[in-house]
């Protein structure tokens, strides 16, 4: 994919606050490229997912090729290349959570939201029609002592039962 | 009952310990000040070496020894703090980051002073949003109070700490994967050598150290080596002649989860047994222990015959398992081991970075075989073959009997062993993720073979009673090379 071939619908640029954060970030590393992950996190926070425009912008800022940015974006599960819901619900399903019945929580969420589970290549599958929620499975969230756990955007919720899930969803 | 000994976690629950002022009231930063006032950098490195501190992140490598590999004449040298905690079953670093981040900063300062390091990156797991927030606030405070930045507390040292978020890839916990990721690339591990200590991030010498390892440093400096080495056993390494001491000193933040009544982090001296730890964690939830994973999901499983195994680096290595990250997962009699293995193999198949062919293809293949068995479609041949085991002469060999051929179990072992061979401990891959895949795959299958066989025979998941699910040690090859270390003092 050469840079010219990318179809840019809406151009992207950091807003003022993120620009300030970015300027501070870039000073931390001896090479600009090293600021890749924090920069992509900033951009994703701003527009919700990594569009081709974001990749192009980040590539320019870090003085690397767009291909390199794409390379990184596709590697890490936390970067989305498609739109996601307003609330991203991550359900942990690794062994310690599985031993504490995370399946029940997952099934309950599926039923309640009326959606399937997103896969990394098909986020739309796990997104509700109103674009409010995206449901996905993730690996161990390093909270196995309070299993089963889910993350709703940045917040961790512990020791879940279907009732607690209802409560969390109602309070959003 | 074994008592908890809280050192790293002592002040964890003090309100506002995450702020500089409160941390300061509990001796905060005094150990760093002591280090600067009383010791030369070399003295600190020697203390760490003498303390016997072993890395808490997974490999259990001697920290002092790692530091000694760093060339003194190449500058700059970097410190990368590994806060990517993603080994299933591990959750001790999280609490340090969220509740007591200044302790980590003090540990980093001591390491930086000892190694002449000016820049530290804390690679923190992307999902740790709260941890990162608390850590960033603590770093900011430390800058304001003059413990970081230019000319730290008038000593002429320049020390910077930056937090760097990951983005959800398990493999970035591997030290060279972490370095690649930190450089802004895909987190694909590098071939070793060169080791990071010689050529790491940005091509410079780099010390990679786990959060818990670094948090031990203030206490080693503050209370002295003698105090530190009293905790935990020191074994005799009999490979050397005369035997050399093999320290397993200090406390460990044991993370225990699964079927126990009070899962959580317990700080205890290294070297207690599985049974003791389960007791500390409120006892078993259920009737009987079926299996214990002693060191995060990568570690080979222990059966109910092995519950007297001491949970320390040496004992577990000699028991053909590992302490790893100290994440202990307990399973009771209701659990099906085939199902557990399937869960773990799905994890590894998802997390392989895809660089090496044996790992990229082998791991999903292993997962698919286990899936097939769990679905009730496991393959079994109609033929039989000579059975190997303990023969009449007491040696391992042909027993004169015949056994059924479970093709899928043979295949499972063969595929796993071709990613990394658990018997010879050689791997056909770049990083030891390969071992982390084949260790559980082969050990679960060998130790719980009756359960796997029953599942294939019946065509559905069969959970056998604990006594029948695993073969006794004397009849099972998987236990044949198990040893118990001797204490150095007993020689
Ligand atoms: C696949 C894999 C994953 C790892 N994940 C982590 C991790 O999440 N956290 C960690 O501290 N070490 C992890 N390690 C171990 C590191 O490679 C390294 O040994 C450790 O950070 C060194 O620090 P220490 O000596 O203080 O333990 C992992 C290793 C492998 C092979
Ligand atoms: S062993 Fe697996 S995880 Fe490690 S470098 Fe190779 S492909 Fe990547
Ligand atoms: S397995 Fe769910 S948090 Fe560890």
């Amino acid at each position: 994919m050469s840079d010219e071939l990318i179809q840019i619908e809406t151009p992207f640029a950091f807003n003022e606050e993120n620009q300030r954060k970015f300027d501070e970030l870039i000073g931390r590393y001896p090479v600009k490229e090293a600021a890749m992950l924090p920069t992509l996190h900033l951009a994703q926070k701003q527009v919700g997912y990594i569009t081709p425009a974001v990749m192009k912008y980040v590539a320019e800022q870090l003085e690397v090729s767009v291909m390199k940015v794409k390379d990184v974006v596709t590697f890490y599960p936390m970067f989305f290349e498609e739109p996601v819901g307003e609330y991203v619900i991550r359900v942990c399903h690794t062994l310690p959570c599985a031993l504490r019945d995370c399946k029940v929580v997952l099934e309950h969420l599926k039923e309640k939201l009326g959606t399937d589970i997103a896969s990394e290549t098909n986020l739309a599958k796990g997104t509700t029609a109103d674009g409010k929620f995206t449901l996905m499975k993730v690996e161990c969230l390093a909270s196995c002592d309070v299993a089963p756990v889910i993350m709703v955007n940045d917040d961790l919720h512990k020791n879940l039962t279907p009732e607690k899930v209802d409560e969390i969803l109602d309070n959003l | 009952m074994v008592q908890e000994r809280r050192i790293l976690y002592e002040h964890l629950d003090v309100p506002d310990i995450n702020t500089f002022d409160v941390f300061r009231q509990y001796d905060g930063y005094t150990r760093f000040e002591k280090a600067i006032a009383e010791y030369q950098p070399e003295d600190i490195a020697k203390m760490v070496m003498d303390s016997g501190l072993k890395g808490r992140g997974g490999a259990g490598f001697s920290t002092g020894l790692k530091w000694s590999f760093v060339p003194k004449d190449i500058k700059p040298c970097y410190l990368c703090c590994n806060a990517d905690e993603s080994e299933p079953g591990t959750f001790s670093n999280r609490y340090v980051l969220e509740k007591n981040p200044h302790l980590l900063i003090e540990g980093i300062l001591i390491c930086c002073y000892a190694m002449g390091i000016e820049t530290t990156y804390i690679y923190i797991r992307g999902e740790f949003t709260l941890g990162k927030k608390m850590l960033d606030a603590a770093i900011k405070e430390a800058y304001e109070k003059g413990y970081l930045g230019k000319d730290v507390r008038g000593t002429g040292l320049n020390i910077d700490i930056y937090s760097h978020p990951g983005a959800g890839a398990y493999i970035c916990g591997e030290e060279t994967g972490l370095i690649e990721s930190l450089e802004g690339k895909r987190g694909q591990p590098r071939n070793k050598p060169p080791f990071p200590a010689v050529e790491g991030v940005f091509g410079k010498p780099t010390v990679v150290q786990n959060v818990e390892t670094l948090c031990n440093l203030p206490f080693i400096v503050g209370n002295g080596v003698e105090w530190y080495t009293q905790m935990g056993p020191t074994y005799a390494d009999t490979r050397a002649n005369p035997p050399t001491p093999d320290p397993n000193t200090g406390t460990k933040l044991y993370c225990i989860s699964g079927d126990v009544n009070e899962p959580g982090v317990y700080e205890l001296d290294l070297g207690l047994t599985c049974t003791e730890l389960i007791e500390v964690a409120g006892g078993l939830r259920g009737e009987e222990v079926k299996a214990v994973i002693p060191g995060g999901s990568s570690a080979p499983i222990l059966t109910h015959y092995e519950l007297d195994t001491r949970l320390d680096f040496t004992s577990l290595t000699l028991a053909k398992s590992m302490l790893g990250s100290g994440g202990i997962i307990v399973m009771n009699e209701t659990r099906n081991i085939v199902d557990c293995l399937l869960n773990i193999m799905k994890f590894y198949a998802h997390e392989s970075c895809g660089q090496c062919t044996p790992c990229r293809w082998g791991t999903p293949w292993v997962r698919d075989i286990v899936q097939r068995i769990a679905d009730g479609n496991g393959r079994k041949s109609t033929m039989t073959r000579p059975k190997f085991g303990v023969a009449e002469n007491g040696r391992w060999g042909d027993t004169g009997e015949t056994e059924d051929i479970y093709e899928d179990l043979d295949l499972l072992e063969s595929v796993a062993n071709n990613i990394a061979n658990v018997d010879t401990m050689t791997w056909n891959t770049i990083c030891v993720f390969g071992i982390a895949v084949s260790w559980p795959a082969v050990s679960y299958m060998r130790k719980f073979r009756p359960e796997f066989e029953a599942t294939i025979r019946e065509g559905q998941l069969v959970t056998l009673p604990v006594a029948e699910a695993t073969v006794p040690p004397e009849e099972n090859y998987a236990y044949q090379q198990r040893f118990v270390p001797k204490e150095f003092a007993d020689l």
Side-chain angles (χ1 to χ4, degrees):
Chain A
M1 177 168 59
S2 102
D3 296 10
E4 299 78 51
L5 285 177
I6 298 173
Q7 295 290 314
I8 309 277
E9 314 86 52
T10 21
F12 171 85
F14 276 140
N15 59 27
E16 217 169 281
E17 189 198 341
N18 283 343
Q19 184 65 44
R20 204 161 19 84
K21 284 189 184 159
F22 174 76
D23 291 339
E24 194 263 325
L25 268 180
I26 207 88
R28 297 178 171 189
Y29 309 94
V31 292
K32 281 190 173 175
E33 189 186 347
M36 182 83 79
L37 296 189
T39 308
L40 286 169
H41 275 300
L42 276 185
Q44 179 157 295
K45 266 249 151 71
Q46 189 176 319
V47 285
Y49 69 107
I50 309 283
T51 61
V54 171
M55 288 191 225
K56 187 155 189 288
Y57 181 77
V58 171
E60 279 161 12
Q61 298 295 311
L62 301 179
E63 293 165 20
V64 294
S65 70
V66 183
M67 195 59 231
K68 263 202 164 159
V69 180
K70 173 106 181 161
D71 202 30
V72 171
V73 171
T74 51
F75 186 81
Y76 296 94
M78 280 183 81
F79 296 131
F80 306 130
E81 283 187 89
E82 290 171 57
V84 287
E86 187 185 343
Y87 296 101
V88 177
I89 303 181
R90 297 181 161 91
V91 185
C92 173
H93 71 132
T94 315
L95 187 59
C97 278
L99 295 177
R100 295 263 167 173
D101 290 336
C102 68
K103 250 197 194 122
V104 177
V105 172
L106 192 62
E107 288 306 320
H108 184 73
L109 274 164
K110 263 169 77 174
E111 196 178 311
K112 177 122 189 171
L113 300 177
T115 172
D116 209 347
I117 302 160
S119 75
E120 258 160 51
T121 45
N122 187 356
L123 292 170
K125 196 169 91 180
T127 307
T128 51
D130 58 1
K132 200 154 179 220
F133 298 101
T134 298
L135 180 65
M136 55 174 74
K137 289 202 277 190
V138 291
E139 304 296 352
C140 181
L141 288 169
S143 308
C144 326
D145 52 341
V146 287
V149 296
I150 64 170
M151 265 181 98
V152 180
N153 285 350
D154 286 350
D155 300 323
L156 186 81
H157 298 276
K158 313 164 178 179
N159 291 327
L160 292 174
T161 53
E163 295 77 50
K164 278 198 191 167
V165 170
D166 289 343
E167 212 174 290
I168 293 163
L169 292 183
D170 290 344
N171 289 338
L172 285 179
Chain B
M1 194 164 99
V2 183
Q3 288 300 314
E4 262 198 276
R5 187 194 317 245
R6 284 189 161 218
I7 296 170
L8 273 62
Y9 266 23
E10 187 181 358
H11 304 305
L12 196 74
D13 295 322
V14 173
D16 296 328
I17 189 78
N18 59 315
T19 60
F20 181 88
D21 292 330
V22 177
F23 183 63
R24 190 75 183 153
Q25 279 167 24
Y26 292 91
D27 297 340
Y29 293 106
T30 55
R31 285 100 14 148
F32 169 60
E33 281 157 2
K34 180 177 175 197
I36 299 187
E38 296 179 20
Y39 301 105
Q40 292 301 311
E42 307 82 71
D43 301 336
I44 307 277
K46 184 159 185 315
M47 281 170 87
V48 172
M49 181 78 104
D50 294 343
S51 73
L53 175 64
K54 287 185 175 174
R56 304 295 198 234
F61 192 77
S62 159
T63 305
L65 200 56
K66 193 192 283 187
W67 290 9
S68 73
F69 296 149
V70 177
K72 297 278 167 299
D73 47 345
I74 308 176
K75 293 284 159 189
C77 171
Y78 293 100
L79 170 63
C80 290
C81 170
N82 192 340
D84 190 56
E85 190 160 64
S86 27
E87 177 83 17
T90 317
F91 40 90
S92 59
N93 295 354
R94 172 185 212 120
Y95 289 114
V96 175
L97 296 164
E98 287 180 359
K99 295 190 174 174
N100 198 357
H102 279 290
L103 180 63
L104 174 62
I105 298 177
E106 187 173 8
I108 291 175
L109 284 171
I110 293 172
C111 177
C112 287
Y113 174 62
M115 302 300 296
I117 292 170
E118 299 199 333
T119 311
T120 299
Y121 298 104
I122 303 176
Y123 189 98
I124 180 164
R125 192 173 170 183
E127 289 91 340
F128 282 1
T129 31
L130 178 60
K132 182 158 187 305
K133 201 174 113 201
M134 302 311 254
L135 180 67
D136 283 343
I139 294 175
K140 188 155 167 271
E141 248 186 323
Y143 269 107
E144 284 163 9
K145 303 282 177 186
Y147 283 88
L148 288 175
K150 293 259 170 301
D151 192 17
V152 170
R153 306 291 288 170
T155 54
L157 297 169
N158 304 320
I159 301 176
D160 283 311
I161 300 182
Y162 305 117
S163 67
H164 185 102
Y170 166 68
I171 197 60
C172 295
E174 203 280 340
E175 51 186 1
T176 54
L178 183 148
I179 286 170
E180 285 283 308
S181 178
L182 186 58
E183 289 182 356
K185 302 175 193 146
R186 295 165 83 95
Q188 292 176 322
R190 298 175 181 172
N191 260 314
K192 292 186 261 188
F195 286 91
V198 180
E199 198 182 310
V201 70
F202 310 124
K204 299 292 184 210
T206 304
V207 182
V208 184
Q209 221 74 75
N210 174 259
V211 171
E212 190 183 334
T213 315
L214 289 167
C215 288
N216 272 288
L217 300 179
F219 302 103
I220 293 174
V221 171
N223 301 344
V225 170
E226 207 164 298
W227 169 84
Y228 193 81
T229 48
Q230 278 170 4
M231 298 179 288
T234 295
Y235 297 112
D237 187 348
T238 47
R239 285 170 303 181
N241 190 13
T244 49
D246 173 13
N248 282 262
T249 43
T251 58
K252 176 85 189 78
L253 300 172
Y254 289 103
C255 313
I256 180 161
S257 61
D259 293 323
V260 289
N261 286 320
E262 291 159 31
V265 183
Y266 295 90
E267 183 165 8
L268 297 144
D269 289 7
L270 275 164
L272 81 169
T273 65
C274 276
T275 315
E276 285 167 337
L277 183 64
I278 293 171
E279 199 182 318
V280 173
L284 183 77
R285 201 179 64 149
E287 300 294 318
E288 270 177 285
V289 180
K290 185 164 191 177
V292 174
I293 301 174
S297 65
S298 312
I301 204 162
L302 301 180
T303 65
H304 70 283
Y305 290 110
E306 298 168 285
L307 295 180
D308 57 342
T309 312
R310 295 177 77 174
L311 297 168
D312 58 49
F313 297 101
T314 306
S315 300
L316 279 167
T317 307
L318 290 180
K320 297 280 158 186
S321 185
M322 68 163 180
L323 183 60
S325 56
I328 286 104
I329 307 170
V330 180
M331 286 169 253
N332 69 16
E333 77 284 351
T334 62
R335 305 302 175 183
N336 186 295
I337 302 298
V338 183
D339 207 25
C340 293
L341 180 61
L342 178 61
N343 184 298
I344 289 179
M345 284 305 129
K346 281 184 181 165
F347 170 79
Y348 287 105
H350 180 252
E351 298 296 340
S352 166
C353 87
Q355 260 191 120
C356 334
T357 315
C359 174
R360 181 180 61 242
W361 290 110
T363 311
W365 192 356
V366 172
R367 176 201 60 197
D368 291 346
I369 297 168
V370 182
Q371 178 84 60
R372 188 158 73 213
I373 297 173
D375 287 347
N377 302 323
R379 293 176 193 158
K380 178 176 177 289
S381 167
T382 46
M383 292 189 288
T384 55
R385 66 182 169 201
K387 181 176 166 65
F388 276 66
V390 185
E392 266 173 27
N393 60 6
R395 296 251 185 101
W396 195 260
D398 191 346
T399 55
E401 297 164 27
T402 54
E403 63 175 7
D404 293 333
I405 301 175
Y406 291 88
E407 284 168 323
D408 265 352
L409 298 186
D410 291 351
L411 185 64
L412 175 73
E413 182 161 338
S414 158
V415 176
N417 268 339
N418 274 301
I419 304 172
N421 191 313
V422 298
D423 295 319
T424 58
M425 283 305 281
T426 48
W427 49 96
N428 299 326
T429 51
I430 291 175
C431 82
V432 291
F433 182 97
I435 290 262
V437 174
S438 51
W439 247 349
V442 176
S443 74
Y444 290 32
M445 197 275 284
R446 283 189 186 161
K447 288 187 177 173
F448 290 90
R449 192 163 174 118
E451 193 150 294
F452 280 81
E453 288 183 354
T455 297
I456 295 180
R457 262 198 323 268
E458 305 282 324
Q460 60 179 23
L461 277 181
V462 178
T463 308
L464 295 177
V466 176
E468 291 163 32
T470 175
V471 252
E474 53 285 4
E475 289 170 30
N476 191 338
Y477 179 68
Y479 306 90
Q480 287 294 304
Q481 292 164 309
R482 212 176 139 235
F483 299 104
V484 179
K486 281 201 176 63
E487 301 245 2
F488 191 70
D490 292 347
L491 280 190

